[in-house]
Amino acid sequence: MNQSQATRRILRRETHSSRATVSAVTAILLAVLFLWLALETVLGLLGEPALLAAPGQLWRWLTGLPQATIPAGLAAAGAGVALLGLALLLTALAGGRRSRRALESDRTAVVVDDEVIAAAVSRRARLAAGLTPGQVTSTVSSRSVTVQVRPTSGVPADRDAIHAAVDGELAAYRLDRRLAPSVRILKEGVLGQ
Amino acid sequence: MSNTNRALNRILLALAGLVLLAAGAVTAAAGLVPDIAAAWTATGTFLADQARAALGSAPLPGRPGSWWSVAAVAVFLIAAALSVAWLASQGGGRTPRLARDDDGDRGATTIDAGLIGTAVGEALDGNRLVVGSNVSAWENRRGTGLRLRLEARKGASPRELADTAEELVRGIDALIGHPVPVLVRITTGVRSRVAGADRAR
């Protein structure tokens, strides 16, 4: 694939999360926290009663926390906060790949949802085995497609034929990264199809 | 295709995560180890004494309070403003105008994304593979690009859809007169589920 840098950039951004939602929530919480602290400090300066707690009160509460709380509760609260921090850190560091992928194209950047691929693969498997729509379900994960076939009772499904059909179909899509198919034939069939 | 600053998001989220992780770890340690709990209280008291001394060293003229409190208000307000700026940096970049060509004193020509949207919609009318389409223009420092979203009929081949899209993009190129960067998104949507499957042919 010989794509321009701009196209590669678009593809990269479209197939990975921008972390915008988590960032927006964090930014709102931070803004509220800082505005509240500013407000409490101003109220303290004007000699007005505090909204929730004056800065001095807040600090005294924080200082006396180990004495005022049962140790197990403090440890649990700390673990909770630490876990939240760890989750944020992982959000920042993880790849953030979305369930969509790029298709080769000469002119444009093409990104297709995994759901669309799953539906098309299901259809192809169904046609190859002569089944009805409800009998095949496909799941696309990052590197493979799992095709689950529920055969008609008394009519064995040809696993190899379905596998070959699905493999050929996937190759025809020209995805940027190969998806390996795996076909599972369920033991229990459906009646009267 | 939005202009979200992704590197900034990740850096700030990592910082926030590290701060919370450290605070949580210290709190949990204070709950588990009595020595750390004692050190916590001692540090808190020490810092409170320091703060009281500092507040007393710069009193406001003619009234109770300290310049340090005024400085704290300023710091909190700046921090809040930076948080709001971070919030405002999410998304953005969508523009109604796809292309513009200045013809000197004879005027200028602009093309709206809506025109392309209508053209694409008409080209896809009655298409077996596509149940809906949407066109939007996005602007960043590198220029303006087009985002073409095709809602696939259930079971439609992504390759056939991509080829359809490429044909559409060639038409758009001819319409505009010069190639613009295009992102084609092949998705499912409400209409994909309602419209029924692509039948065998």
Side-chain angles (χ1 to χ4, degrees):
Chain A
M1 224 188 327
N2 185 24
Q3 285 169 324
S4 72
Q5 206 178 345
T7 305
R8 273 205 304 276
R9 185 170 180 278
I10 290 176
L11 287 177
R12 160 87 202 169
R13 283 175 76 90
E14 194 62 25
T15 51
H16 291 76
S17 164
S18 69
R19 305 299 192 216
T21 313
V22 184
S23 296
V25 171
T26 311
I28 290 171
L29 291 178
L30 282 176
V32 168
L33 173 70
F34 286 127
L35 282 177
W36 174 68
L37 284 173
L39 185 63
E40 294 289 16
T41 314
V42 168
L43 288 177
L45 267 175
L46 297 176
E48 300 282 333
L51 209 59
L52 294 174
Q57 259 178 305
L58 197 65
W59 189 259
R60 271 195 296 283
W61 171 77
L62 209 57
T63 305
L65 204 54
Q67 281 75 44
T69 328
I70 54 165
L74 198 62
V81 172
L83 276 182
L84 188 65
L86 193 65
L88 275 186
L89 197 60
L90 286 181
T91 308
L93 298 178
R97 206 189 68 80
R98 288 167 141 169
S99 52
R100 45 179 83 158
R101 58 199 67 234
L103 241 68
E104 271 182 52
S105 166
D106 302 329
R107 166 63 184 87
T108 70
V110 182
V111 175
V112 59
D113 279 3
D114 281 356
E115 258 183 90
V116 176
I117 296 177
V121 164
S122 286
R123 178 171 174 276
R124 185 74 192 85
R126 212 180 74 224
L127 292 179
L131 303 167
T132 56
Q135 288 177 283
V136 183
T137 47
S138 305
T139 319
V140 179
S141 53
S142 66
R143 272 147 209 263
S144 64
V145 187
T146 311
V147 181
Q148 191 170 284
V149 178
R150 186 181 287 275
T152 307
S153 209
V155 186
D158 186 347
R159 194 172 169 284
D160 292 338
I162 296 174
H163 190 279
V166 168
D167 204 22
E169 180 79 1
L170 284 170
Y173 295 166
R174 284 192 280 143
L175 300 167
D176 67 335
R177 199 164 56 171
R178 227 185 83 77
L179 278 174
S182 69
V183 179
R184 279 177 50 203
I185 311 279
L186 292 180
K187 290 253 164 48
E188 271 176 52
V190 284
L191 293 173
Q193 293 290 333
Chain B
M1 286 182 99
S2 73
N3 293 339
T4 305
N5 188 337
R6 298 181 170 209
L8 181 77
N9 277 359
R10 282 174 180 265
I11 290 168
L12 292 180
L13 284 178
L15 279 178
L18 281 175
V19 168
L20 279 183
L21 192 60
V26 170
T27 310
L32 295 173
V33 187
D35 281 353
I36 294 181
W40 169 307
T41 308
T43 312
T45 315
F46 172 73
L47 287 178
D49 289 343
Q50 293 287 101
R52 208 165 298 125
L55 289 175
S57 71
L60 287 178
R63 46 169 303 142
S66 165
W67 283 112
W68 286 112
S69 300
V70 177
V73 172
V75 168
F76 289 143
L77 285 180
I78 290 170
L82 288 176
S83 304
V84 171
W86 183 23
L87 178 65
S89 78
Q90 309 301 322
R94 193 165 170 170
T95 168
R97 180 192 291 169
L98 173 60
R100 182 188 162 87
D101 192 20
D102 261 312
D103 243 352
D105 49 0
R106 283 184 297 170
T109 311
T110 63
I111 302 177
D112 277 3
L115 172 76
I116 308 295
T118 312
V120 166
E122 262 172 42
L124 289 174
D125 196 26
N127 190 296
R128 190 171 46 78
L129 305 167
V130 184
V131 290
S133 68
N134 172 278
V135 173
S136 54
W138 296 79
E139 196 173 24
N140 63 16
R141 271 173 294 136
R142 295 166 183 81
T144 310
L146 202 62
R147 184 176 186 274
L148 168 60
R149 196 167 76 87
L150 300 180
E151 241 174 81
R153 187 177 289 278
K154 200 169 180 216
S157 154
R159 188 72 250 167
E160 284 180 44
L161 282 160
D163 292 343
T164 307
E166 225 169 285
E167 213 171 288
L168 284 172
V169 171
R170 285 207 176 88
I172 294 171
D173 284 349
L175 204 59
I176 300 177
H178 61 87
V180 292
V182 182
L183 166 67
V184 177
R185 284 284 290 119
I186 300 173
T187 65
T188 57
V190 182
R191 265 178 289 186
S192 310
R193 279 186 272 282
V194 174
D198 181 21
R199 289 291 171 191
R201 24 181 214 288

